[in-house]
Amino acid sequence: MRNLKRQLLAGPYLLWMAGFILLPVVMILYYAFTTTSGHFTMLNITSISASIHLKSLLLSLKLALVCTIICLVLSYPLAMILNNMKLKRQGFIVFVFILPMWMNFMLRILAWKMLLSNNGVINTLLETLGLPALDILNTPSAVVFCMVYDFLPFMILPIYNAMSRIQKDILEAAKDLGAGNIIIFFKIIVPLTMSGVVSGIIMVFVPALTSFAISDLLGGGKVLLIGNVIEQAFMQEYNWNLGSGLSVVLMIFVIASMALMSSKGEEGGASVW
Amino acid sequence: MVKKSVERIYLSIIFLFLYLPIVVLIVLSFNNSKSKVQWGGFTFNWYIKLFSSKSIMEAFGTTIFISLASALIATLLGTLAALGIDAMKKRNQTIMIGATNIPLLNADIVTGISMMLLFVRFTRLGLSTVLIAHITFNIPYVILNVLPKLKQSSRTTYEAALDLGATPFYAFFKIIWPQIRPGVFSGFLMAMTMSLDDFSVTYFTKGAGIHTLSTMIYTEMRKGIRPEMYALSTILFLIALLLLLFMNFRPSVHKEKGDAL
Amino acid sequence: MSKRLIDLQHITKSFDGQMVLDDLNLYIRENEFLTLLGPSGCGKTTTLRIIGGFEMPDSGSVIFDEKNITELAPNERQLNTVFQKYALFPHMSIAENIAFGLKIKKKSKSYIKDKIKYALKLVNLDGFEKRSVDSLSGGQQQRIAIARAIVNEPKVLLLDEPLGALDLKLRQDMQYELIRLKNELGITFIYVTHDQEEALTMSDTIVVMNQGYIQQIGTPQDIYNEPKNAFVADFIGESNIIDGLMLEDRLVKILNANFPCVDEGFGKNTPVDVVIRPEDVELVSPEQGSLEGDVTSLIFKGVHWEIEVLANGYEWLVQTTHMHPVGSHVGIQIDPYNIQIMNKPESSDERAVESCVT
């Protein structure tokens, strides 16, 4: 059968994924549930309840949530404005808003570190204007600031895409049936962009929850996220079992937040009134 | 009219937020002073220092090698996989696409750590482990770019070619390949950019002695910022700009702009 | 005669400097089924959108029920539209789609429920309340779009090529459905189409448009039997349109043969366009005809034969129930009443028409 032969083309990919996605997950689970001497234990998992770990997990959740909300609040009107623009300019404008995303992730952090530092551009500017200095480097605010900067495009794009897929005649039909702008927004535009909002939230929340580089570089060692705890367990304390255990916990949170969001997305799609 | 100007102001603020850091970096890369705020005259000094720094140039070379090689191999594997998946039954396709999405959504740090655990068990961390890791997270981007093109391409034309006596191999290159080429190409470019941008996975799988630009900047930044980094940023920004311009304004893939993130 | 419900006065509209409607005047009576007919780009859809409020005319006014509604937003107008691609809300069930307008008007739950039931019955889709939009076929979606519009009890229903996306059989069924609906509801329908057969079947009045101008307004019979110019004649059904010379009143010379006709007042020796419907051409024996020619093609069409006859350098299209084999020598005869004489275009409007036809 010709068709079966063609299916075999996916073989190398399947082997690759089994070797480098599945096997590593098995490894991390193995380390997570064993002691250094190879005996079964739950301690690596339960150590999340240790106050220092719990504190960093809660802080991660909080910062990720704040970052996601800010991104959402900034992106939605932006996507609407972009979508309403004349088509000729639209391509260019969208291009402008995704370009920064293509700059190296580290360099974007670098840029903000430099802008926010005590004798950096922003503070010098504030000083010349006679305003109080913004002393936020090495605080959670700086971390959130940079996360928003880094992840904003991930929110803008899916929402913009969902919005540009709404047919113009759907909006006209709503208007024709007597809907004013407010009703059109809440009953048509919001529900029809819900899928974009959901993927935007996932695409911002997950990396914000699990990032460690931003907090490391802009938190000055004072902002300890769960990502930092895991990174230190591996790279400094060489406690791989603990690190794996915490990674598994983090994975559970990631999966749970995604599951929660996608179920919300389906609800949002169906129940409108 | 009021609404229009409110919209303009809003766009400008976001625009400023996105570009101010980049502009400041670019300006400082030409600043003949180590200060972050004082203009000490125009200079190419930092660029010269940048290019004469062996460690930076090495990291640059590694980065380019890793991203090109990983994108190339991922494109090959991913395109074959997409062809295979396309031939599968609907139900199996859904499962395969779902499985392909998992590494895309997984946290980078977990991906990096889990692969590190595997690699140290069976081999030593080094260039090859970074390459394998990058290929792994690149393949899904290729598949997700090629598969929609395959879905659009009509199966009947392929069958018509076979009917007219073409061998499957000939029919593939004459009929299917031209139709999926834009998808393969944008998949390749996307894989390359993802690879260029990656920090977390590289950080955990690279081992000692190897640096890509991302990990090198990270290490440098923990010590303090050297002005050479500004020059490096400027160059990398220009590369990103050119790449993106190339991708977006090539007529054949113009439509994909939205999908291609 | 029922009263004028909608009055379009001196409507002008252009897009990007391109004139789409130029000083359009048109009125629509209460309970009329009026069709705007014309090729794409003739301005018919723009006219409909101006009535619906989706486009603002550059100048001129829209009078509805003796009130000027030119500036009124679509959601404040007492009319509803059935869109070409249905435009159902994809995230709502059928019932929610139909209820949309009623909920905005804050009707009671029981009222809405009754209305949904009634509307679904009217479009022959009882029991579809809970279905989702994408589980419906194109024809069913179109019926829902109609149901969604009519539950609001509009005085006027605007239909923008609503059958365009349906296949032939379904389209014919829906034509009868629409006529039935219109009679049951007793409201005004304004219908846009480029399909002349659709227009002839359903309309009380047809407005033939081309390049932003109204070419002719009349009943289907008027439009078909007495087209005012070559464009209308050509657009509505097939025709033989031939250059002719009006020798004197009641006598026209076509292809070097004289034909008696019934038209007067064109003057002497005036160049004119002569329109003769294919079914009005009689094929007789050569000596009986005013013109002689040879059959060049013969096609069986079911109810009639379609024959082409070459006579004096012109290929005549003839529809007849009598068979004449290819190669046979025949005579052409035309009843004076079936010869339609039209002035050659003079005004700029008509010249625009001409350029489009050729």
Side-chain angles (χ1 to χ4, degrees):
Chain A
M1 247 186 76
R2 206 167 50 213
N3 213 22
L4 191 72
K5 257 205 231 153
R6 222 183 113 181
Q7 290 188 27
L8 287 178
L9 292 175
Y13 165 67
L14 283 176
L15 281 178
W16 188 280
M17 286 295 149
F20 299 116
I21 292 284
L22 205 61
L23 208 53
V25 171
V26 172
M27 295 291 293
I28 211 170
L29 287 173
Y30 170 75
Y31 275 100
F33 289 103
T34 51
T35 60
T36 36
S37 51
H39 296 293
F40 175 80
T41 179
M42 285 298 284
L43 283 179
N44 296 321
I45 306 284
T46 51
S47 75
I48 189 65
S49 58
S51 79
I52 177 161
H53 295 159
L54 200 60
K55 224 173 97 188
S56 64
L57 179 64
L58 290 178
L59 183 64
S60 298
L61 285 168
K62 190 178 127 193
L63 295 195
L65 196 67
V66 172
C67 165
T68 308
I69 291 170
I70 295 176
C71 283
L72 183 59
V73 168
L74 287 178
S75 300
Y76 208 90
L78 184 73
M80 274 184 91
I81 296 171
L82 290 182
N83 191 46
N84 289 339
M85 265 187 202
K86 285 225 174 91
L87 265 174
K88 256 185 279 167
R89 288 167 59 208
Q90 213 169 26
F92 173 71
I93 301 279
V94 172
F95 172 78
V96 161
F97 279 91
I98 58 172
L99 174 60
M101 192 176 72
W102 289 60
M103 206 170 90
N104 193 292
F105 171 67
M106 273 300 138
L107 293 178
R108 282 179 282 164
I109 302 177
L110 170 74
W112 275 105
K113 179 161 188 175
M114 186 199 59
L115 280 176
L116 291 176
S117 64
N118 289 338
N119 53 351
V121 174
I122 289 181
N123 275 334
T124 313
L125 214 73
L126 289 173
E127 211 175 299
T128 34
L129 292 173
L131 294 167
L134 195 63
D135 194 14
I136 66 167
L137 195 68
N138 302 338
T139 67
S141 309
V143 176
V144 169
F145 225 95
C146 190
M147 280 178 176
V148 170
Y149 183 72
D150 263 335
F151 304 137
L152 187 63
F154 294 115
M155 186 69 89
I156 296 175
L157 277 180
I159 297 179
Y160 169 77
N161 279 341
M163 216 167 269
S164 61
R165 272 198 294 270
I166 299 178
Q167 307 262 312
K168 210 177 114 209
D169 57 357
I170 298 265
L171 302 179
E172 285 186 348
K175 231 183 256 178
D176 182 80
L177 295 166
N181 286 334
I182 294 168
I183 293 183
I184 289 181
F185 180 77
F186 284 107
K187 300 293 183 202
I188 308 287
I189 297 179
V190 169
L192 284 179
T193 50
M194 207 33 95
S195 62
V197 170
V198 165
S199 43
I201 289 178
I202 290 175
M203 284 170 80
V204 171
F205 186 77
V206 171
L209 180 67
T210 60
S211 106
F212 67 95
I214 296 175
S215 45
D216 194 14
L217 295 170
L218 293 180
K222 288 177 203 148
V223 182
L224 210 57
L225 299 185
I226 187 70
N228 300 98
V229 175
I230 294 173
E231 190 257 342
Q232 283 169 12
F234 275 98
M235 308 305 263
Q236 286 167 29
E237 297 152 24
Y238 298 102
N239 190 343
W240 291 8
N241 302 90
L242 176 67
S244 298
L246 294 177
S247 298
V248 169
V249 173
L250 182 61
M251 240 179 347
I252 291 169
F253 270 89
V254 168
I255 292 167
S257 60
M258 277 200 270
L260 182 77
M261 278 323 292
S262 20
S263 70
K264 272 268 175 342
E266 274 154 34
E267 271 171 41
S271 67
V272 184
W273 293 92
Chain B
M1 274 307 101
V2 178
K3 196 178 154 217
K4 265 253 132 49
S5 41
V6 170
E7 284 182 0
R8 285 252 168 78
I9 292 168
Y10 188 76
L11 279 185
S12 321
I13 290 173
I14 302 263
F15 181 82
L16 206 68
F17 175 64
L18 289 175
Y19 280 90
L20 183 72
I22 298 172
V23 170
V24 172
L25 278 179
I26 293 176
V27 170
L28 287 182
S29 76
F30 296 108
N31 184 13
N32 194 6
S33 147
K34 283 208 171 189
S35 157
K36 295 185 191 102
V37 285
Q38 241 149 39
W39 182 248
F42 185 88
T43 180
F44 273 120
N45 210 357
W46 307 123
Y47 288 86
I48 296 164
K49 272 204 169 156
L50 174 72
F51 284 107
S52 54
S53 157
K54 199 166 152 253
S55 63
I56 295 179
M57 282 300 108
E58 239 177 54
F60 188 73
T62 310
T63 307
I64 298 291
F65 169 74
I66 294 277
S67 60
L68 272 178
S70 71
L72 215 59
I73 298 171
T75 304
L76 187 70
L77 283 172
T79 306
L80 288 178
L83 285 167
I85 292 173
D86 187 52
M88 289 177 188
K89 272 183 267 163
K90 191 100 191 119
R91 202 169 52 95
N92 291 349
Q93 275 194 25
T94 320
I95 296 171
M96 287 297 289
I97 292 170
T100 305
N101 270 312
I102 294 171
L104 279 185
L105 297 172
N106 200 2
D108 281 354
I109 183 172
V110 177
T111 308
I113 285 170
S114 63
M115 274 198 260
M116 176 185 81
L117 291 175
L118 178 79
F119 292 147
V120 291
R121 189 95 200 202
F122 297 105
T123 174
R124 288 166 52 90
L125 295 182
L127 196 61
S128 54
T129 54
V130 178
L131 186 60
I132 290 173
H134 277 229
I135 293 168
T136 309
F137 71 70
N138 274 342
I139 295 177
Y141 292 104
V142 178
I143 294 181
L144 294 181
N145 269 289
V146 176
L147 213 49
K149 289 281 162 213
L150 273 172
K151 292 256 172 290
Q152 283 166 22
S153 78
S154 80
R155 190 154 302 188
T156 45
T157 51
Y158 175 72
E159 279 164 7
L162 293 180
D163 182 71
L164 293 168
T167 62
F169 196 70
Y170 184 84
F172 171 80
F173 276 102
K174 284 288 171 188
I175 308 294
I176 296 186
W177 173 247
Q179 299 189 62
I180 62 170
R181 192 171 43 203
V184 174
F185 203 70
S186 55
F188 173 78
L189 283 178
M190 223 167 133
M192 211 171 93
T193 7
M194 288 301 154
S195 177
L196 278 174
D197 202 41
D198 177 71
F199 165 73
S200 303
V201 176
T202 315
Y203 179 72
F204 286 107
T205 53
K206 75 183 175 57
I210 295 195
H211 268 309
T212 63
L213 285 175
S214 295
T215 59
M216 196 201 60
I217 299 166
Y218 177 73
T219 327
E220 286 279 324
M221 233 193 301
R222 301 182 82 169
K223 291 187 245 161
I225 308 170
R226 285 191 291 160
E228 290 97 307
M229 291 293 126
Y230 306 148
L232 183 63
S233 308
T234 306
I235 291 174
L236 289 185
F237 176 73
L238 285 179
I239 292 175
L241 177 70
L242 290 176
L243 247 167
L244 202 56
L245 276 174
F246 179 64
M247 260 179 92
N248 273 281
F249 297 102
R250 224 161 25 108
S252 58
V253 287
H254 194 79
K255 284 201 309 280
E256 270 93 49
K257 175 188 62 223
D259 308 326
L261 284 181
Chain C
M1 264 279 148
S2 47
K3 68 164 183 173
R4 291 179 177 199
L5 186 62
I6 298 176
D7 212 338
L8 301 178
Q9 295 169 344
H10 306 290
I11 300 283
T12 310
K13 177 77 186 170
S14 55
F15 293 111
D16 297 327
Q18 183 127 24
M19 191 69 95
V20 179
L21 295 175
D22 192 0
D23 193 28
L24 179 113
N25 292 285
L26 177 67
Y27 62 86
I28 296 135
R29 291 181 197 283
E30 204 158 30
N31 294 345
E32 188 173 30
F33 194 129
L34 179 129
T35 300
L36 300 171
L37 175 68
S40 58
C42 73
K44 57 188 191 300
T45 298
T46 307
T47 309
L48 193 79
R49 289 173 64 79
I50 285 174
I51 300 173
F54 301 114
E55 303 286 354
M56 205 68 98
D58 298 338
S59 66
S61 40
V62 182
I63 310 294
F64 182 85
D65 220 359
E66 287 162 11
K67 282 187 285 289
N68 189 335
I69 60 160
T70 317
E71 308 272 323
L72 214 57
N75 47 334
E76 286 157 11
R77 298 191 181 198
Q78 283 180 313
L79 18 87
N80 287 111
T81 308
V82 176
F83 290 82
Q84 188 171 11
K85 288 189 205 116
Y86 327 135
L88 297 179
F89 306 126
H91 56 297
M92 298 182 194
S93 70
I94 298 306
E96 285 167 338
N97 261 284
I98 299 176
F100 190 87
L102 299 173
K103 282 190 176 158
I104 288 166
K105 293 195 189 77
K106 306 243 185 311
K107 302 284 189 193
S108 75
K109 272 221 165 76
S110 58
Y111 176 87
I112 293 177
K113 209 172 157 204
D114 288 349
K115 266 289 183 188
I116 293 173
K117 218 172 163 86
Y118 162 76
L120 282 176
K121 202 173 190 112
L122 207 59
V123 296
N124 286 334
L125 289 175
D126 311 70
F128 272 59
E129 283 91 342
K130 294 261 154 56
R131 299 275 291 268
S132 73
V133 169
D134 31 289
S135 72
L136 302 189
S137 70
Q140 289 171 330
Q141 289 195 28
Q142 190 54 275
R143 286 157 193 256
I144 297 300
I146 293 168
R148 183 179 67 176
I150 59 181
V151 286
N152 301 291
E153 299 175 356
K155 286 198 172 161
V156 180
L157 193 62
L158 308 177
L159 303 106
D160 184 7
E161 305 222 21
L163 310 184
L166 304 182
D167 59 48
L168 182 65
K169 181 74 181 70
L170 204 53
R171 207 152 67 210
Q172 285 168 343
D173 291 347
M174 281 299 287
Q175 287 175 16
Y176 294 110
E177 292 267 319
L178 283 172
I179 297 170
R180 177 181 64 83
L181 266 177
K182 202 226 141 225
N183 293 336
E184 273 179 44
L185 294 167
I187 59 175
T188 309
F189 274 37
I190 304 179
Y191 193 95
V192 160
T193 184
H194 62 266
D195 184 319
Q196 44 108 357
E197 194 209 309
E198 227 169 81
L200 292 173
T201 311
M202 295 190 288
S203 321
D204 300 322
T205 307
I206 295 177
V207 178
V208 184
M209 294 179 72
N210 190 36
Q211 301 203 342
Y213 298 98
I214 292 177
Q215 305 295 335
Q216 188 171 0
I217 303 178
T219 63
Q221 292 88 332
D222 286 344
I223 301 271
Y224 189 83
N225 292 330
E226 283 157 46
K228 242 164 120 184
N229 58 37
F231 173 81
V232 177
D234 194 59
F235 196 77
I236 307 278
E238 288 164 305
S239 294
N240 296 293
I241 303 172
I242 313 164
D243 287 333
L245 194 67
M246 202 66 188
L247 297 172
E248 55 188 72
D249 280 353
R250 294 169 177 264
L251 188 65
V252 64
K253 184 172 162 185
I254 319 166
L255 307 168
N256 286 323
N258 293 349
F259 284 86
C261 59
V262 294
D263 298 77
E264 297 176 351
F266 284 87
K268 288 194 177 204
N269 293 323
T270 320
V272 289
D273 277 331
V274 180
V275 171
I276 301 153
R277 293 286 180 195
E279 66 271 24
D280 293 334
V281 181
E282 291 169 53
L283 294 185
V284 292
S285 61
E287 54 278 8
Q288 285 178 303
S290 315
L291 261 174
E292 287 176 35
D294 297 298
V295 175
T296 56
S297 125
L298 173 78
I299 299 165
F300 182 60
K301 287 279 190 177
V303 272
H304 58 74
W305 296 88
E306 194 165 283
I307 300 176
E308 279 175 21
V309 179
L310 186 66
N312 285 5
Y314 183 82
E315 194 110 290
W316 291 76
L317 187 68
V318 184
Q319 288 169 354
T320 167
T321 49
H322 299 286
M323 207 263 277
H324 296 266
V326 173
S328 53
H329 195 62
V330 294
I332 287 177
Q333 190 54 268
I334 300 151
D335 188 298
Y337 287 96
N338 289 330
I339 294 179
Q340 184 68 27
I341 307 287
M342 296 173 308
N343 270 318
K344 286 269 180 196
E346 265 174 49
S347 69
S348 66
D349 321 7
E350 288 179 39
R351 220 170 279 126
V353 171
E354 182 78 354
S355 71
C356 192
V357 170
T358 48

